[in-house]
Amino acid sequence: FRAGLPYWATLGMHIFGCKQTPPTPPTTSDEDSSGNSSDAETKKKKGNRAMGKKKYPKAIRYYSKAMKIEPKNVTFRLNRAIANAALELWKDAEADAERAVELSELAGVPSPKSHYQFARARLRRGLVDEALLAVRAGLEACPAEAALLQLERE
């Protein structure tokens, strides 16, 4: 026996006949990112995976981290709006979708999905008139967008 340790302790962490090993530490940390755009894309991909597994709070955290790296990225903001909507956090979804619409307009590239999420969040909050205005603004920017036309009929 070594230095006063019991016999089982000298065999390499045997507990009830099963050898256990400590978990391997991760090779990279989300908190230690250097802040470049590939980090933002990585965080978006992790958020997308979490969305696919219906782990919406986790997805929101990843999209938020991506937005800190690239605050003017429409996709990150839109994805977080969608995750908030999945949790029925309509006020947060509305705010994110509204900002996504603004960012897409500033970039000169209309985003029909952003307009749709913005109008949908307003509708779910009971803001019917405001939702209709958002739908019409979306249709003005993206005429004949099927999802917006469907939402307008609701």
Side-chain angles (χ1 to χ4, degrees):
F1 299 91
R2 290 160 127 188
L5 294 175
Y7 174 73
W8 59 268
T10 63
L11 297 176
M13 295 184 68
H14 283 279
I15 300 175
F16 301 111
C18 297
K19 185 174 182 178
Q20 295 183 349
T21 58
T24 305
T27 55
T28 60
S29 172
D30 289 335
E31 284 70 42
D32 296 336
S33 67
S34 62
N36 63 32
S37 69
S38 68
D39 287 341
E41 277 299 314
T42 299
K43 292 189 185 353
K44 181 190 89 165
K45 287 177 184 176
K46 288 181 178 183
N48 291 349
R49 277 197 298 275
M51 284 289 288
K53 294 177 182 178
K54 297 186 180 189
K55 295 182 178 183
Y56 304 119
K58 190 174 194 175
I60 290 168
R61 284 193 301 275
Y62 279 119
Y63 295 138
S64 296
K65 289 177 182 182
M67 287 166 40
K68 284 182 182 178
I69 297 168
E70 287 185 41
K72 294 184 179 180
N73 187 302
V74 175
T75 303
F76 303 159
R77 184 78 56 174
L78 174 61
N79 287 359
R80 193 172 77 174
I82 293 168
N84 279 317
L87 292 171
E88 296 185 5
L89 300 172
W90 299 115
K91 192 172 184 177
D92 292 338
E94 179 186 4
D96 279 336
E98 182 176 26
R99 184 67 181 139
V101 168
E102 291 168 359
L103 290 171
S104 67
E105 288 173 354
L106 286 173
V109 181
S111 171
K113 289 180 182 179
S114 297
H115 284 283
Y116 173 81
Q117 288 299 326
F118 181 43
R120 180 174 173 250
R122 283 185 161 186
L123 185 61
R124 296 296 185 262
R125 289 189 64 212
L127 306 171
V128 178
D129 292 338
E130 291 88 342
L132 188 57
L133 289 173
V135 167
R136 289 184 180 151
L139 286 171
E140 190 175 306
C142 313
E145 175 62 33
L148 288 169
L149 290 168
Q150 177 63 36
L151 196 58
E152 185 179 39
R153 287 185 217 114
E154 291 180 19

